[in-house]
Amino acid sequence: MSTLTIDKAGPTRNVKYGSMSRDRAWALRWSYFFLTLFAIFSLVPPLYMLITSLKGSAEISAATNPWWVFHPTLENYVGLLTSNQFMRFFFNSAMVSIVVVIITMLISIPAAFALSRMKFWGSATLATGVFLTYLVPDSLLFIPLFKMFALIGDVTGIQLINRWYVLLLIYPTLTVPFCTWIMIGYFASIPKELDEAAIIDGASWLQTLIRIFIPVALPGLIAATIFAFTVSWAQFLYPLVFTTSTDQLVLPVGIVTSLIKGDVFNWGQIMTGALLGAAPPLIIYAFLMDYYIAGLTAGATKG
Amino acid sequence: MVDAVIGENTVARPRRAAGRKGLRHALKRKSTAAFLMTLPLILLIVLLVVYPALYSVHLATLNKSMQRFVGLGNFEFLFKRDTFWLVVKQSCIFAITAVVFKALIGFIVAHFVHNIPAKGQRKWRGMLLVPWVIPPAMSTLAWLWLFDPSYSAFNYTLAFFGIGPIPWTGDAAWARFSVILVNVWYGAPFFMIMYLAALKSVPEQLYEAAAIDGANWWQRIWYVTLPMMRNIIAITTLFSLIVTFANFDIVRILTAGGPLDKTHIFATWAFRVGIEGSDIPLGASVSLFMVPILAVAAIFILRDVSKRGNES
């Protein structure tokens, strides 16, 4: 009999009235506890890059605690930032990424505008095609593209293989579909009355695009720009395939191929290089995190 | 001339008709303008994506020196090689395990972030998304160093607890574990952010209603959260499956396919065979094996996308 009373009155009453706030407080504590664990998991590799980059080579090969820097030194940074080769990689990366961002925007803004506003024959198919192109991975296309560009070199005498500017032709295959897709979504969210009014007032399509769409969809444009930049900056497979001479390499490939000599890993310099290579996207992200996240969530799912 | 026509109409007819006629002209010009605006995009897709994709099929039917047509010879050759079947197996293990763990971790972390007061969420979101922001080639180098057999941090830390050195990238099973771990580390934040966005779009009233009906924590997740998030979970998972299946950087830098080709996936093996081994047709054949799986995932994603398009 007693059990029955407990069953009926005990727990339900307690949960409903007594310990609601206490439950919530515990849920909160657990949330913070696990979030801390996951944050540590997320941040260990970048922090370890930073720790190693501040060590001299003697300290790296000594059997001391790897998680702490006992004799911090900037020699790795000085070494890399004064090395012509490394600065060359950095310059190539910056050059390629910035030009690719510009090309991407020039192609995808008008295309997204046309696809989201001017319904024409085949526009729906093309929009689907853009999305499908966005799903085609680099690892599927690198071999035929390599052969194609090699053939162009053989036939016309214009060498594209092993020149950094070949990347300007190839990266847009990754960035343009993505940015167009994001921007179709953003443009579609602009009320139709806005551009109809502009057209009635006698504005041309180009004027409508420049005066109305670009300012209104600026957050979307920023998100797309960030993505185009980070995608070009991080790309590893294409430069690995298309460039080999050290003066043509971009940063990721440069670090992997030139700082690792045979079996000798100069970890201090490699980690410093990796950190410097990770810095531009991280800095952009630190300032424009909200745009980055908006682009991420819009890009993959929104139509 | 167009101006003249419009002018004539304005004079001859009432205003509304003239407007309609002008609009029709605008529409005519509109399609031309629209075509011109999308032309660079079309050219890019056709010349640098569609053509290479078809060219890849052509390449796959040539012999090594690309002089002779061998039909399906390359594929026959692949089917007879043990390494190929290893790659098929490893690609599936890698993609499926990594995606499942990414989705699970992403789901759990998204809930924790959603649980805490809105004021602090930005900070946590920022920290948790860092792995996704760092170029994978750079962060994988850091992992490679963390996994280093003799000097590195992980084995040092494990030794502190009395656990012997683990051959992270030297032993086949551990190497498989390592590439999956790094991929999960890199990809989980993407799921986290997508699920977080989905969680935020679930109306609060549904939870209140569920709480009044006496639903416990588990029931709330099962009957409210999951159905509301189903679309985003499906699309994110499929999308990630494509990306993970076609992954290159992480495996290439961490193990380069070793030890003994045990961690090769399609992309890295295609690179090894096609570019490093300069057997372009065989490499093309290898990478073509990704197509069926990518296509199936793409069809499902597309269905989902168009369904959402119709709903809105």
Side-chain angles (χ1 to χ4, degrees), chain A:
Chain A
M1 207 207 110
S2 61
T3 33
L4 209 122
T5 352
I6 292 171
D7 251 11
K8 265 199 161 170
T12 359
R13 279 286 149 79
N14 265 344
V15 168
K16 271 199 170 165
Y17 300 110
S19 62
M20 196 75 161
S21 62
R22 207 188 303 158
D23 274 3
R24 195 159 284 170
W26 270 107
L28 208 60
R29 257 169 247 164
W30 278 112
S31 297
Y32 280 120
F33 174 72
F34 282 109
L35 280 179
T36 313
L37 284 188
F38 282 116
I40 291 171
F41 177 58
S42 301
L43 295 177
V44 156
L47 285 178
Y48 196 53
M49 280 187 202
L50 180 68
I51 291 170
T52 313
S53 72
L54 295 170
K55 290 181 183 177
S57 45
E59 195 179 339
I60 288 173
S61 48
T64 53
N65 185 351
W67 298 104
W68 191 251
V69 190
F70 296 96
H71 310 284
T73 162
L74 287 176
E75 67 177 61
N76 291 318
Y77 289 89
V78 175
L80 281 184
L81 292 173
T82 54
S83 119
N84 282 331
Q85 204 184 39
F86 185 81
M87 291 319 284
R88 182 82 221 171
F89 300 156
F90 210 94
F91 173 79
N92 284 349
S93 262
M95 189 75 169
V96 169
S97 304
I98 291 168
V99 178
V100 166
V101 167
I102 295 169
I103 294 175
T104 306
M105 289 303 137
L106 287 178
I107 297 179
S108 56
I109 292 176
F113 175 68
L115 287 175
S116 66
R117 271 307 191 267
M118 314 154 116
K119 295 274 175 280
F120 57 96
W121 184 83
S123 62
T125 321
L126 188 59
T128 314
V130 169
F131 185 70
L132 280 179
T133 318
Y134 158 47
L135 296 176
V136 176
D138 49 359
S139 45
L140 191 65
L141 294 179
F142 72 99
I143 288 179
L145 281 173
F146 177 76
K147 187 65 198 146
M148 262 171 67
F149 284 111
L151 268 182
I152 290 175
D154 290 346
V155 174
T156 63
I158 305 168
Q159 273 309 320
L160 287 168
I161 301 290
N162 199 17
R163 300 283 185 277
W164 62 266
Y165 44 76
V166 71
L167 303 176
L168 301 180
L169 287 173
I170 299 172
Y171 283 7
T173 60
L174 301 168
T175 56
V176 166
F178 187 76
C179 293
T180 312
W181 187 246
I182 292 185
M183 273 185 274
I184 290 176
Y186 269 92
F187 284 173
S189 69
I190 297 174
K192 275 222 160 62
E193 289 78 21
L194 224 59
D195 48 305
E196 275 167 3
I199 298 286
I200 287 168
D201 286 350
S204 70
W205 288 104
L206 199 67
Q207 280 172 322
T208 318
L209 174 60
I210 294 170
R211 297 269 176 83
I212 294 174
F213 274 75
I214 292 181
V216 174
L218 201 60
L221 291 183
I222 295 174
T225 313
I226 298 173
F227 271 94
F229 181 82
T230 44
V231 166
S232 337
W233 188 272
Q235 177 53 231
F236 179 69
L237 174 57
Y238 284 147
L240 187 66
V241 172
F242 286 90
T243 52
T244 43
S245 343
T246 43
D247 60 331
Q248 306 291 331
L249 296 180
V250 293
L251 206 54
V253 181
I255 292 169
V256 171
T257 57
S258 79
L259 290 180
I260 300 171
K261 294 178 181 88
D263 281 342
V264 185
F265 289 73
N266 184 351
W267 282 114
Q269 284 214 344
I270 294 172
M271 287 299 102
T272 312
L275 197 64
L276 291 173
L282 277 174
I283 292 168
I284 291 175
Y285 166 69
F287 287 104
L288 302 171
M289 183 173 92
D290 293 326
Y291 293 108
Y292 188 90
I293 290 173
L296 204 62
T297 43
T301 59
K302 265 191 199 150

Side-chain angles (χ1 to χ4, degrees), chain B residues 208-229:
Chain B
E208 279 162 21
I212 288 167
D213 290 347
N216 61 25
W217 174 83
W218 177 245
Q219 285 167 325
R220 271 193 311 241
I221 288 195
W222 192 253
Y223 293 109
V224 181
T225 315
L226 277 178
M228 291 300 287
M229 286 173 68

Side-chain angles (χ1 to χ4, degrees), chain B residues 73-120:
Chain B
N74 283 319
F75 296 103
E76 269 172 44
F77 176 72
L78 283 176
F79 288 145
K80 280 186 208 133
R81 284 188 66 175
D82 292 340
T83 317
F84 174 75
W85 295 109
L86 260 181
V87 170
V88 174
K89 196 176 118 197
Q90 171 63 8
S91 291
C92 295
I93 295 177
F94 174 75
I96 294 169
T97 322
V99 170
V100 167
F101 276 102
K102 283 189 266 195
L104 268 179
I105 293 179
F107 190 77
I108 295 168
V109 176
H111 266 91
F112 286 137
V113 175
H114 192 64
N115 250 348
I116 63 173
K119 227 169 43 185

